[in-house]
Amino acid sequence: MTDHQPAQNVIGARISRSDCWAKTDEFGHPCLTVRDHCVNVGSVGLVSYELLPPASKHCAPAGAVFLIAGHDIGKVTPGFLMKCSSWRQRWQPRLALSSPDQYEPNHAKAGHYFLAQWVRNPERWLVSIGGHHGVYHSLSPRGSLRNRADHADLAELRSELLHEL
């Protein structure tokens, strides 16, 4: 991971990007961070973009590789992270998180929402990010998703990761 000062909330828990999982192992334990997964996928996206014929490159939006790399930013949310019981046991009390059902569980939907705040003309291209598992979501009403998806410490980590990407 990179040099990074972990976020700290009022209870004193310290969480860093290395605590945010994207994939679990066969036992259900976190084994790949969101950061590493996004960098891996973004690297494949970059190579794929570079292999496109010049006449096809103009079809991709500006920042296409960023969108590809950031496709799972919605995994840095309580609703996704608490799907892993070992993560939930460790972090739910430390971060004073409500019960898992109080948060948006769909990381693609949350990612679509958060990336929409980072790109111009988001609706044209972000539908593919929000639907990267084959289900496309409406972002209305936006306020209710934000209320169900966010946590201050995790918002800070998402922002750091998006800046890195």
Side-chain angles (χ1 to χ4, degrees):
M1 299 301 302
T2 62
D3 290 350
H4 161 259
Q5 292 296 328
Q8 185 171 359
N9 74 359
V10 294
I11 294 176
R14 296 180 66 79
I15 187 166
S16 70
R17 288 186 287 166
S18 63
D19 296 310
C20 298
W21 63 278
K23 304 293 180 184
T24 55
D25 64 18
E26 65 270 20
F27 305 107
H29 301 291
C31 66
L32 182 67
T33 67
V34 176
R35 183 239 180 233
D36 290 348
H37 175 62
C38 288
V39 169
N40 291 341
V41 172
S43 296
V44 171
L46 178 60
V47 169
S48 298
Y49 177 80
E50 289 174 348
L51 292 173
L52 287 174
S56 298
K57 285 185 179 180
H58 77 281
C59 294
V65 174
F66 168 75
L67 291 175
I68 292 166
H71 81 286
D72 268 348
I73 198 67
K75 289 185 174 183
V76 185
T77 59
F80 177 81
L81 293 169
M82 285 199 289
K83 289 180 179 186
C84 175
S85 62
S86 62
W87 191 96
R88 187 173 58 248
Q89 288 172 354
R90 179 175 181 196
W91 288 106
Q92 185 174 4
R94 292 180 184 188
L95 296 175
L97 296 169
S98 301
S99 67
D101 63 346
Q102 297 300 305
Y103 301 100
E104 174 56 55
N106 186 301
H107 74 276
K109 187 175 183 179
H112 183 165
Y113 173 79
F114 291 120
L115 280 173
Q117 300 169 43
W118 280 72
V119 298
R120 290 185 198 152
N121 303 319
E123 297 308 317
R124 183 170 177 201
W125 295 103
L126 285 180
V127 69
S128 61
I129 301 302
H132 74 265
H133 287 291
V135 178
Y136 300 92
H137 306 279
S138 165
L139 291 183
S140 298
R142 290 178 186 254
S144 64
L145 178 59
R146 181 171 182 79
N147 293 339
R148 292 198 57 201
D150 222 352
H151 183 275
D153 291 351
L154 297 176
E156 181 181 328
L157 297 178
R158 275 194 312 275
S159 179
E160 290 173 7
L161 178 54
L162 289 171
H163 278 289
E164 180 183 352
L165 296 174

mmCIF file with all atom_site columns, all heavy atoms in Angstrom, residues 38-54:
data_model
loop_
_atom_site.group_PDB
_atom_site.id
_atom_site.type_symbol
_atom_site.label_atom_id
_atom_site.label_alt_id
_atom_site.label_comp_id
_atom_site.label_asym_id
_atom_site.label_entity_id
_atom_site.label_seq_id
_atom_site.pdbx_PDB_ins_code
_atom_site.Cartn_x
_atom_site.Cartn_y
_atom_site.Cartn_z
_atom_site.occupancy
_atom_site.B_iso_or_equiv
_atom_site.pdbx_formal_charge
_atom_site.auth_seq_id
_atom_site.auth_comp_id
_atom_site.auth_asym_id
_atom_site.auth_atom_id
_atom_site.pdbx_PDB_model_num
ATOM 1   N N   . CYS A 1 38 ? -8.782  -2.325 -7.926  1.00 0.00 ? 38 CYS A N   1
ATOM 2   C CA  . CYS A 1 38 ? -8.992  -1.220 -8.871  1.00 0.00 ? 38 CYS A CA  1
ATOM 3   C C   . CYS A 1 38 ? -7.749  -0.965 -9.716  1.00 0.00 ? 38 CYS A C   1
ATOM 4   O O   . CYS A 1 38 ? -7.862  -0.719 -10.929 1.00 0.00 ? 38 CYS A O   1
ATOM 5   C CB  . CYS A 1 38 ? -9.394  0.045  -8.119  1.00 0.00 ? 38 CYS A CB  1
ATOM 6   S SG  . CYS A 1 38 ? -11.079 -0.002 -7.462  1.00 0.00 ? 38 CYS A SG  1
ATOM 7   N N   . VAL A 1 39 ? -6.571  -1.040 -9.115  1.00 0.00 ? 39 VAL A N   1
ATOM 8   C CA  . VAL A 1 39 ? -5.324  -0.857 -9.877  1.00 0.00 ? 39 VAL A CA  1
ATOM 9   C C   . VAL A 1 39 ? -5.167  -1.982 -10.895 1.00 0.00 ? 39 VAL A C   1
ATOM 10  O O   . VAL A 1 39 ? -4.810  -1.729 -12.054 1.00 0.00 ? 39 VAL A O   1
ATOM 11  C CB  . VAL A 1 39 ? -4.103  -0.768 -8.932  1.00 0.00 ? 39 VAL A CB  1
ATOM 12  C CG1 . VAL A 1 39 ? -2.800  -0.861 -9.709  1.00 0.00 ? 39 VAL A CG1 1
ATOM 13  C CG2 . VAL A 1 39 ? -4.151  0.534  -8.133  1.00 0.00 ? 39 VAL A CG2 1
ATOM 14  N N   . ASN A 1 40 ? -5.454  -3.216 -10.499 1.00 0.00 ? 40 ASN A N   1
ATOM 15  C CA  . ASN A 1 40 ? -5.356  -4.344 -11.435 1.00 0.00 ? 40 ASN A CA  1
ATOM 16  C C   . ASN A 1 40 ? -6.298  -4.159 -12.623 1.00 0.00 ? 40 ASN A C   1
ATOM 17  O O   . ASN A 1 40 ? -5.894  -4.295 -13.783 1.00 0.00 ? 40 ASN A O   1
ATOM 18  C CB  . ASN A 1 40 ? -5.683  -5.669 -10.728 1.00 0.00 ? 40 ASN A CB  1
ATOM 19  C CG  . ASN A 1 40 ? -4.643  -6.082 -9.719  1.00 0.00 ? 40 ASN A CG  1
ATOM 20  O OD1 . ASN A 1 40 ? -3.515  -5.614 -9.738  1.00 0.00 ? 40 ASN A OD1 1
ATOM 21  N ND2 . ASN A 1 40 ? -5.023  -6.972 -8.822  1.00 0.00 ? 40 ASN A ND2 1
ATOM 22  N N   . VAL A 1 41 ? -7.553  -3.849 -12.332 1.00 0.00 ? 41 VAL A N   1
ATOM 23  C CA  . VAL A 1 41 ? -8.544  -3.693 -13.398 1.00 0.00 ? 41 VAL A CA  1
ATOM 24  C C   . VAL A 1 41 ? -8.213  -2.479 -14.260 1.00 0.00 ? 41 VAL A C   1
ATOM 25  O O   . VAL A 1 41 ? -8.323  -2.527 -15.491 1.00 0.00 ? 41 VAL A O   1
ATOM 26  C CB  . VAL A 1 41 ? -9.968  -3.600 -12.797 1.00 0.00 ? 41 VAL A CB  1
ATOM 27  C CG1 . VAL A 1 41 ? -10.994 -3.235 -13.856 1.00 0.00 ? 41 VAL A CG1 1
ATOM 28  C CG2 . VAL A 1 41 ? -10.326 -4.919 -12.130 1.00 0.00 ? 41 VAL A CG2 1
ATOM 29  N N   . GLY A 1 42 ? -7.770  -1.389 -13.631 1.00 0.00 ? 42 GLY A N   1
ATOM 30  C CA  . GLY A 1 42 ? -7.377  -0.202 -14.392 1.00 0.00 ? 42 GLY A CA  1
ATOM 31  C C   . GLY A 1 42 ? -6.195  -0.473 -15.295 1.00 0.00 ? 42 GLY A C   1
ATOM 32  O O   . GLY A 1 42 ? -6.130  0.050  -16.416 1.00 0.00 ? 42 GLY A O   1
ATOM 33  N N   . SER A 1 43 ? -5.263  -1.304 -14.844 1.00 0.00 ? 43 SER A N   1
ATOM 34  C CA  . SER A 1 43 ? -4.104  -1.655 -15.674 1.00 0.00 ? 43 SER A CA  1
ATOM 35  C C   . SER A 1 43 ? -4.541  -2.445 -16.906 1.00 0.00 ? 43 SER A C   1
ATOM 36  O O   . SER A 1 43 ? -4.055  -2.200 -18.012 1.00 0.00 ? 43 SER A O   1
ATOM 37  C CB  . SER A 1 43 ? -3.098  -2.477 -14.857 1.00 0.00 ? 43 SER A CB  1
ATOM 38  O OG  . SER A 1 43 ? -2.592  -1.698 -13.797 1.00 0.00 ? 43 SER A OG  1
ATOM 39  N N   . VAL A 1 44 ? -5.464  -3.367 -16.721 1.00 0.00 ? 44 VAL A N   1
ATOM 40  C CA  . VAL A 1 44 ? -5.998  -4.111 -17.867 1.00 0.00 ? 44 VAL A CA  1
ATOM 41  C C   . VAL A 1 44 ? -6.736  -3.159 -18.808 1.00 0.00 ? 44 VAL A C   1
ATOM 42  O O   . VAL A 1 44 ? -6.595  -3.244 -20.032 1.00 0.00 ? 44 VAL A O   1
ATOM 43  C CB  . VAL A 1 44 ? -6.917  -5.262 -17.398 1.00 0.00 ? 44 VAL A CB  1
ATOM 44  C CG1 . VAL A 1 44 ? -7.640  -5.906 -18.579 1.00 0.00 ? 44 VAL A CG1 1
ATOM 45  C CG2 . VAL A 1 44 ? -6.116  -6.309 -16.631 1.00 0.00 ? 44 VAL A CG2 1
ATOM 46  N N   . GLY A 1 45 ? -7.495  -2.221 -18.232 1.00 0.00 ? 45 GLY A N   1
ATOM 47  C CA  . GLY A 1 45 ? -8.197  -1.229 -19.049 1.00 0.00 ? 45 GLY A CA  1
ATOM 48  C C   . GLY A 1 45 ? -7.242  -0.372 -19.857 1.00 0.00 ? 45 GLY A C   1
ATOM 49  O O   . GLY A 1 45 ? -7.493  -0.080 -21.033 1.00 0.00 ? 45 GLY A O   1
ATOM 50  N N   . LEU A 1 46 ? -6.126  0.031  -19.242 1.00 0.00 ? 46 LEU A N   1
ATOM 51  C CA  . LEU A 1 46 ? -5.135  0.851  -19.937 1.00 0.00 ? 46 LEU A CA  1
ATOM 52  C C   . LEU A 1 46 ? -4.503  0.085  -21.103 1.00 0.00 ? 46 LEU A C   1
ATOM 53  O O   . LEU A 1 46 ? -4.404  0.605  -22.222 1.00 0.00 ? 46 LEU A O   1
ATOM 54  C CB  . LEU A 1 46 ? -4.048  1.315  -18.964 1.00 0.00 ? 46 LEU A CB  1
ATOM 55  C CG  . LEU A 1 46 ? -2.920  2.153  -19.573 1.00 0.00 ? 46 LEU A CG  1
ATOM 56  C CD1 . LEU A 1 46 ? -3.458  3.429  -20.210 1.00 0.00 ? 46 LEU A CD1 1
ATOM 57  C CD2 . LEU A 1 46 ? -1.889  2.477  -18.498 1.00 0.00 ? 46 LEU A CD2 1
ATOM 58  N N   . VAL A 1 47 ? -4.113  -1.148 -20.857 1.00 0.00 ? 47 VAL A N   1
ATOM 59  C CA  . VAL A 1 47 ? -3.522  -1.959 -21.934 1.00 0.00 ? 47 VAL A CA  1
ATOM 60  C C   . VAL A 1 47 ? -4.536  -2.171 -23.049 1.00 0.00 ? 47 VAL A C   1
ATOM 61  O O   . VAL A 1 47 ? -4.204  -2.052 -24.228 1.00 0.00 ? 47 VAL A O   1
ATOM 62  C CB  . VAL A 1 47 ? -2.999  -3.307 -21.380 1.00 0.00 ? 47 VAL A CB  1
ATOM 63  C CG1 . VAL A 1 47 ? -2.630  -4.255 -22.505 1.00 0.00 ? 47 VAL A CG1 1
ATOM 64  C CG2 . VAL A 1 47 ? -1.809  -3.075 -20.452 1.00 0.00 ? 47 VAL A CG2 1
ATOM 65  N N   . SER A 1 48 ? -5.777  -2.459 -22.667 1.00 0.00 ? 48 SER A N   1
ATOM 66  C CA  . SER A 1 48 ? -6.825  -2.670 -23.678 1.00 0.00 ? 48 SER A CA  1
ATOM 67  C C   . SER A 1 48 ? -7.041  -1.406 -24.506 1.00 0.00 ? 48 SER A C   1
ATOM 68  O O   . SER A 1 48 ? -7.156  -1.470 -25.740 1.00 0.00 ? 48 SER A O   1
ATOM 69  C CB  . SER A 1 48 ? -8.141  -3.078 -23.008 1.00 0.00 ? 48 SER A CB  1
ATOM 70  O OG  . SER A 1 48 ? -7.978  -4.286 -22.321 1.00 0.00 ? 48 SER A OG  1
ATOM 71  N N   . TYR A 1 49 ? -7.086  -0.247 -23.834 1.00 0.00 ? 49 TYR A N   1
ATOM 72  C CA  . TYR A 1 49 ? -7.263  1.020  -24.543 1.00 0.00 ? 49 TYR A CA  1
ATOM 73  C C   . TYR A 1 49 ? -6.102  1.261  -25.508 1.00 0.00 ? 49 TYR A C   1
ATOM 74  O O   . TYR A 1 49 ? -6.311  1.660  -26.659 1.00 0.00 ? 49 TYR A O   1
ATOM 75  C CB  . TYR A 1 49 ? -7.389  2.179  -23.554 1.00 0.00 ? 49 TYR A CB  1
ATOM 76  C CG  . TYR A 1 49 ? -7.496  3.515  -24.227 1.00 0.00 ? 49 TYR A CG  1
ATOM 77  C CD1 . TYR A 1 49 ? -8.714  3.934  -24.761 1.00 0.00 ? 49 TYR A CD1 1
ATOM 78  C CD2 . TYR A 1 49 ? -6.392  4.339  -24.359 1.00 0.00 ? 49 TYR A CD2 1
ATOM 79  C CE1 . TYR A 1 49 ? -8.817  5.157  -25.407 1.00 0.00 ? 49 TYR A CE1 1
ATOM 80  C CE2 . TYR A 1 49 ? -6.490  5.569  -25.001 1.00 0.00 ? 49 TYR A CE2 1
ATOM 81  C CZ  . TYR A 1 49 ? -7.704  5.969  -25.522 1.00 0.00 ? 49 TYR A CZ  1
ATOM 82  O OH  . TYR A 1 49 ? -7.800  7.171  -26.172 1.00 0.00 ? 49 TYR A OH  1
ATOM 83  N N   . GLU A 1 50 ? -4.890  1.008  -25.053 1.00 0.00 ? 50 GLU A N   1
ATOM 84  C CA  . GLU A 1 50 ? -3.716  1.235  -25.906 1.00 0.00 ? 50 GLU A CA  1
ATOM 85  C C   . GLU A 1 50 ? -3.692  0.306  -27.117 1.00 0.00 ? 50 GLU A C   1
ATOM 86  O O   . GLU A 1 50 ? -3.093  0.635  -28.136 1.00 0.00 ? 50 GLU A O   1
ATOM 87  C CB  . GLU A 1 50 ? -2.441  1.089  -25.087 1.00 0.00 ? 50 GLU A CB  1
ATOM 88  C CG  . GLU A 1 50 ? -2.253  2.249  -24.109 1.00 0.00 ? 50 GLU A CG  1
ATOM 89  C CD  . GLU A 1 50 ? -1.073  2.074  -23.165 1.00 0.00 ? 50 GLU A CD  1
ATOM 90  O OE1 . GLU A 1 50 ? -0.510  0.961  -23.085 1.00 0.00 ? 50 GLU A OE1 1
ATOM 91  O OE2 . GLU A 1 50 ? -0.726  3.067  -22.500 1.00 0.00 ? 50 GLU A OE2 1
ATOM 92  N N   . LEU A 1 51 ? -4.352  -0.829 -27.026 1.00 0.00 ? 51 LEU A N   1
ATOM 93  C CA  . LEU A 1 51 ? -4.395  -1.775 -28.148 1.00 0.00 ? 51 LEU A CA  1
ATOM 94  C C   . LEU A 1 51 ? -5.505  -1.472 -29.160 1.00 0.00 ? 51 LEU A C   1
ATOM 95  O O   . LEU A 1 51 ? -5.548  -2.076 -30.225 1.00 0.00 ? 51 LEU A O   1
ATOM 96  C CB  . LEU A 1 51 ? -4.558  -3.212 -27.628 1.00 0.00 ? 51 LEU A CB  1
ATOM 97  C CG  . LEU A 1 51 ? -3.361  -3.782 -26.871 1.00 0.00 ? 51 LEU A CG  1
ATOM 98  C CD1 . LEU A 1 51 ? -3.706  -5.137 -26.269 1.00 0.00 ? 51 LEU A CD1 1
ATOM 99  C CD2 . LEU A 1 51 ? -2.144  -3.889 -27.783 1.00 0.00 ? 51 LEU A CD2 1
ATOM 100 N N   . LEU A 1 52 ? -6.380  -0.534 -28.809 1.00 0.00 ? 52 LEU A N   1
ATOM 101 C CA  . LEU A 1 52 ? -7.442  -0.176 -29.755 1.00 0.00 ? 52 LEU A CA  1
ATOM 102 C C   . LEU A 1 52 ? -6.844  0.455  -31.005 1.00 0.00 ? 52 LEU A C   1
ATOM 103 O O   . LEU A 1 52 ? -5.855  1.198  -30.925 1.00 0.00 ? 52 LEU A O   1
ATOM 104 C CB  . LEU A 1 52 ? -8.400  0.838  -29.121 1.00 0.00 ? 52 LEU A CB  1
ATOM 105 C CG  . LEU A 1 52 ? -9.350  0.346  -28.053 1.00 0.00 ? 52 LEU A CG  1
ATOM 106 C CD1 . LEU A 1 52 ? -10.113 1.529  -27.448 1.00 0.00 ? 52 LEU A CD1 1
ATOM 107 C CD2 . LEU A 1 52 ? -10.329 -0.675 -28.614 1.00 0.00 ? 52 LEU A CD2 1
ATOM 108 N N   . PRO A 1 53 ? -7.443  0.204  -32.157 1.00 0.00 ? 53 PRO A N   1
ATOM 109 C CA  . PRO A 1 53 ? -7.002  0.904  -33.360 1.00 0.00 ? 53 PRO A CA  1
ATOM 110 C C   . PRO A 1 53 ? -7.247  2.401  -33.184 1.00 0.00 ? 53 PRO A C   1
ATOM 111 O O   . PRO A 1 53 ? -8.218  2.804  -32.534 1.00 0.00 ? 53 PRO A O   1
ATOM 112 C CB  . PRO A 1 53 ? -7.894  0.340  -34.469 1.00 0.00 ? 53 PRO A CB  1
ATOM 113 C CG  . PRO A 1 53 ? -8.595  -0.829 -33.892 1.00 0.00 ? 53 PRO A CG  1
ATOM 114 C CD  . PRO A 1 53 ? -8.536  -0.729 -32.406 1.00 0.00 ? 53 PRO A CD  1
ATOM 115 N N   . PRO A 1 54 ? -6.386  3.234  -33.743 1.00 0.00 ? 54 PRO A N   1
ATOM 116 C CA  . PRO A 1 54 ? -6.552  4.689  -33.591 1.00 0.00 ? 54 PRO A CA  1
ATOM 117 C C   . PRO A 1 54 ? -7.954  5.179  -33.943 1.00 0.00 ? 54 PRO A C   1
ATOM 118 O O   . PRO A 1 54 ? -8.477  6.074  -33.284 1.00 0.00 ? 54 PRO A O   1
ATOM 119 C CB  . PRO A 1 54 ? -5.500  5.265  -34.542 1.00 0.00 ? 54 PRO A CB  1
ATOM 120 C CG  . PRO A 1 54 ? -4.455  4.200  -34.619 1.00 0.00 ? 54 PRO A CG  1
ATOM 121 C CD  . PRO A 1 54 ? -5.200  2.887  -34.522 1.00 0.00 ? 54 PRO A CD  1
#
